[in-house]
Amino acid sequence: MTHLADGVMSFSLRRLADELGMDRDALRKRIAAYGVKPAARRAGHPVYRLRDVIPALYARPDDSGEDGHLDPLKMTPTDRKAHYQAENERLRFLAECGQLVLAPQAKDELAFVAKTVSRFHRTLADTFERDTRCPPEYTEALERLVRRLGEDLAAAIGDFEAGEDDDVRIRS
């Protein structure tokens, strides 16, 4: 141990490794990766301030991806396992609370709504013509609009079933 001019304690790499119970090469790599500069030199060897070395020892590798979200592929195996276990527990909790709609349930609800809307649209033009006694060209225009709406609805359902919207469905 050496005291620098400002009274701060500094240690050689060997002394730090002995005190911390670490391999000297592993400690050297951590210090270099974190960019810790030697505080001084003693007998030609670098000495480091303890307060500069400690953050390098506790720094974790960056687990986030390019978008800033956690990337499990960049995690250590134990961290990845903990991440997935926690995520499974979160999803199980949301399902138990009724806030998470599972895919089969969402498809069943979507099918029910689509059938109800489709049934209404199939009879809309006839009901409109019968109740309002309007000219046939109005009924034909309404049928074209209903057909276009039905096609848009079918396309939207196809996109949903194809999985183009990958967001988790959470009820508000």
Side-chain angles (χ1 to χ4, degrees):
M1 178 175 63
T2 303
H3 289 283
L4 297 177
D6 57 1
V8 176
M9 293 188 301
S10 61
F11 297 89
S12 68
L13 201 57
R14 179 184 178 118
R15 177 77 174 159
L16 279 168
D18 289 344
E19 287 295 321
L20 297 170
M22 291 182 71
D23 179 62
R24 205 173 3 170
D25 291 331
L27 181 62
R28 182 186 343 261
K29 287 178 185 176
R30 298 276 293 281
I31 288 173
Y34 199 72
V36 176
K37 304 285 184 215
R41 288 199 148 331
R42 183 177 63 209
H45 299 288
V47 291
Y48 299 90
R49 290 182 180 164
L50 193 56
R51 69 177 175 205
D52 295 338
V53 173
I54 288 175
L57 296 176
Y58 291 103
R60 295 184 53 117
D62 186 18
D63 292 339
S64 60
E66 294 176 9
D67 59 355
H69 291 93
L70 285 180
D71 184 2
L73 298 177
K74 292 185 177 184
M75 296 178 180
T76 63
T78 54
D79 288 347
R80 187 171 34 252
K81 179 183 176 189
H83 169 75
Y84 283 123
Q85 282 178 335
E87 190 65 15
N88 284 335
E89 288 297 318
R90 182 181 75 84
L91 293 174
R92 190 174 297 122
F93 173 75
L94 288 173
E96 287 173 5
C97 292
Q99 293 181 335
L100 179 68
V101 178
L102 301 176
Q105 181 184 359
K107 286 181 180 180
D108 290 346
E109 291 178 12
L110 182 62
F112 174 75
V113 170
K115 287 176 186 176
T116 304
V117 170
S118 177
R119 190 177 313 121
F120 172 76
H121 284 153
R122 280 195 308 263
T123 60
L124 180 63
D126 293 335
T127 305
F128 181 70
E129 184 179 23
R130 182 190 68 222
D131 291 350
T132 62
R133 303 202 189 285
C134 64
E137 55 269 4
Y138 290 175
T139 305
E140 291 170 6
L142 181 61
E143 285 177 345
R144 282 193 304 272
L145 289 173
V146 167
R147 192 176 312 115
R148 191 174 330 138
L149 179 63
E151 291 168 359
D152 291 346
L153 182 61
I157 290 172
D159 291 347
F160 174 78
E161 288 182 347
E164 291 184 16
D165 187 9
D166 292 333
D167 294 338
V168 174
R169 307 276 188 245
I170 298 180
R171 294 182 193 174
S172 52

